[in-house]
Amino acid sequence: MNELNPLEQAVYDLIPRGIENCRKYKDLHSHIDERSFKKIIRALRLKGKVIGAIRGKQGGYFVATNEEERVIATRQFEAQVKDEMAIVSAMKKAELEEIA
């Protein structure tokens, strides 16, 4: 597994363990703007950290601590990939419009 840089480690340490402890960005950001925070979360995930994000009022970020939480953390990405592949497939099958 890739080592974390100090900023990644600091953000990773902010994220609560377990879905029951999930917390929203505004409660975690520690003076990091939201765009940068999300980039760091992406980098952490690519380095093998299983960080879930639940949408909605009761949602937030969490580090998965068991297989059930891993499934929840990855489900949204699987759905997104499936949706994007459906778009790619439809676009490949579509008739092109000619420019007059």
Side-chain angles (χ1 to χ4, degrees):
M1 193 167 308
N2 297 331
E3 286 191 38
L4 306 183
N5 67 41
L7 183 56
E8 291 169 340
Q9 187 65 56
V11 169
Y12 186 66
D13 291 342
L14 289 173
I15 303 168
R17 276 43 182 172
I19 195 169
E20 69 279 356
N21 299 312
C22 67
R23 302 219 9 233
K24 296 194 175 298
Y25 156 77
K26 66 182 181 177
D27 299 324
L28 296 174
H29 62 80
S30 184
H31 309 294
I32 300 170
D33 66 273
E34 189 170 7
R35 185 176 184 178
S36 296
F37 181 83
K38 289 181 177 181
K39 285 177 74 173
I40 294 166
I41 294 296
R42 182 180 187 282
L44 288 167
R45 287 171 171 156
L46 288 171
K47 289 183 175 184
K49 301 299 183 184
V50 185
I51 300 170
I54 305 296
R55 295 182 176 118
K57 284 186 177 183
Q58 303 302 318
Y61 293 93
F62 67 95
V63 174
T65 59
N66 58 48
E67 193 58 36
E68 181 181 354
E69 290 177 353
R70 179 199 311 266
V71 169
I72 292 167
T74 58
R75 186 179 301 145
Q76 72 184 28
F77 295 106
E78 291 171 336
Q80 182 178 342
V81 167
K82 185 176 178 182
D83 183 58
E84 302 256 344
M85 288 307 297
I87 292 169
V88 168
S89 179
M91 290 177 70
K92 284 184 173 182
K93 293 176 185 174
E95 296 288 327
L96 296 176
E97 296 180 23
E98 293 199 24
I99 299 174

